[in-house]
Amino acid sequence: MSAGITKEQSRIIKGVAILLMVYHHLFLLTGTAPNEALHFFIPEFTTKLAYFGKICVGLFAFITGYSLYKSYDRINSAATGTRSFTLNAYAYASKHILSLYGLYILSFIIIAPIEYLTGVNPHSVSSISATIHNILAVNHMIPGSWNALSTYDGSVWYLPFYASMLLFFPIIHMFLELFFGEKSRKKMDILVSILISGIATTLALFLFVILILLPSPSLSIFVYAIKQLLMPSFAACMFMGYLFSRFSIYERIWDKLHNKHVLLHLISSILSLIVIFVVRSLLAGDNPAYASLDFIMVPILVMSLLMIIGYIKPVGLALGFLGKHSTFIWFTHLHFVALLGPKLLSFIHIPVVYYVVIVLLSLLTSIVLTFIVKKVTSLLSKPANNK
């Protein structure tokens, strides 16, 4: 980590996060499978580890924040001024938002009709309203819509949160530039860019929420929807990732620790994992503050994981491969549970095997979908190249 978190290490963390996500959904969500089939070692441990798995959101958010600053730094270098940076930063945000939504919509187009025809989820595309809300991944923003619209995939609530954060973070970046940026930059230019960006972002989110609430507008639902978009606990994780990247915190720690008492650092990393697991288990349950300390725990968890996995190269390669496919695994794993779960459980009675099968099915699907995306992208880019 002498150069911070690399692209390969980011994929490793995403690999860990996606495994935790699948475990969390598989062994905690009610109705996924019969409870008696989900015992892994001991039932209490299964539940605690499943609750702990929710930290996957903090891991994804942290890595996103970390890479955001790296991207802003590159955009900054190429920009001719603050206004140029602002335009490029929002172009970057738009590209990544559309890219992620594009992958989600591709999986939706394939999976939703199958679930509709098989009767697994006949409501996700049963009406124009339900289809639009499921494509936008916004059912969670309307109280009661989980049951009313039979949400296509409850795990994709992160999509609108991710989009809103990518729209807000250029403002945060420019605000910090006032205090930590280059002295030569004109403060007034930065303030004007912050003001314009703030107004534009607020209007965009306002129009987005209004679109969501068209069937049932009310002030209380509007406020609820805004809270769901911003999600302070996970926004704090993303902000911590940004700060760790901006101020090279991992690099500074690594300079102090590298080649000094390696065994001690390895042991301390393992102990850190245990402490984080125990603390987060104590916060688990119906307590809404379950993720309130993630912004502290996630940076420590990331460094501990990378420290340990750094000594086990094959594990790192496997996790990196999973991380590369984490997006489509996220978009498909719950649907394999819905479509095949009961049949799989009828002859797979060992929970860990059931878990591995769901992960492998999602991974294989991701490999196929990634291949399709690359082929389509290549075909679409050929006419442009020929010109």
Side-chain angles (χ1 to χ4, degrees), residues 96-115:
H96 281 73
I97 291 169
L98 291 173
S99 174
L100 188 58
Y101 262 96
L103 298 180
Y104 166 64
I105 291 169
L106 172 62
S107 65
F108 179 85
I109 289 170
I110 295 170
I111 296 171
I114 295 172
E115 292 186 335

Side-chain angles (χ1 to χ4, degrees), residues 191-217:
L191 286 170
V192 170
S193 293
I194 290 173
L195 180 62
I196 294 172
S197 302
I199 293 171
T201 300
T202 303
L203 284 174
L205 293 178
F206 178 79
L207 291 173
F208 183 65
V209 172
I210 291 298
L211 175 65
I212 296 164
L213 303 182
L214 280 177
S216 53

Side-chain angles (χ1 to χ4, degrees), residues 63-237:
I63 289 299
T64 299
Y66 196 94
S67 62
L68 271 178
Y69 175 73
K70 297 293 184 186
S71 300
Y72 291 159
D73 198 35
R74 288 194 297 271
I75 293 169
N76 231 356
S77 301
T80 55
T82 303
R83 293 176 191 177
S84 172
F85 165 80
T86 306
L87 290 172
N88 292 338
Y90 279 101
Y92 170 89
S94 301
K95 177 184 174 182
H96 281 73
I97 291 169
L98 291 173
S99 174
L100 188 58
Y101 262 96
L103 298 180
Y104 166 64
I105 291 169
L106 172 62
S107 65
F108 179 85
I109 289 170
I110 295 170
I111 296 171
I114 295 172
E115 292 186 335
Y116 179 81
L117 293 171
T118 56
V120 171
N121 187 354
H123 305 290
S124 61
V125 290
S126 60
S127 68
I128 294 175
S129 176
T131 304
I132 291 173
H133 281 86
N134 283 318
I135 285 176
L136 292 175
V138 294
N139 281 344
H140 70 288
M141 296 183 189
I142 309 172
S145 68
W146 290 91
N147 297 323
L149 296 174
S150 292
T151 302
Y152 162 75
D153 187 335
S155 72
V156 296
W157 61 263
Y158 187 82
L159 271 170
F161 165 75
Y162 172 85
S164 63
M165 288 298 101
L166 255 63
L167 292 175
F168 270 117
F169 260 76
I171 302 170
I172 295 170
H173 177 78
M174 286 185 287
F175 181 78
L176 289 175
E177 283 291 297
L178 284 171
F179 304 97
F180 304 105
E182 296 175 15
K183 299 292 184 181
S184 59
R185 286 180 177 262
K186 293 181 180 180
K187 304 298 182 184
M188 186 54 67
D189 281 351
I190 296 176
L191 286 170
V192 170
S193 293
I194 290 173
L195 180 62
I196 294 172
S197 302
I199 293 171
T201 300
T202 303
L203 284 174
L205 293 178
F206 178 79
L207 291 173
F208 183 65
V209 172
I210 291 298
L211 175 65
I212 296 164
L213 303 182
L214 280 177
S216 53
S218 74
L219 180 61
S220 61
I221 296 180
F222 179 82
V223 172
Y224 179 83
I226 290 295
K227 286 181 179 178
Q228 294 300 302
L229 269 177
L230 301 181
M231 295 194 176
S233 295
F234 302 129
C237 290

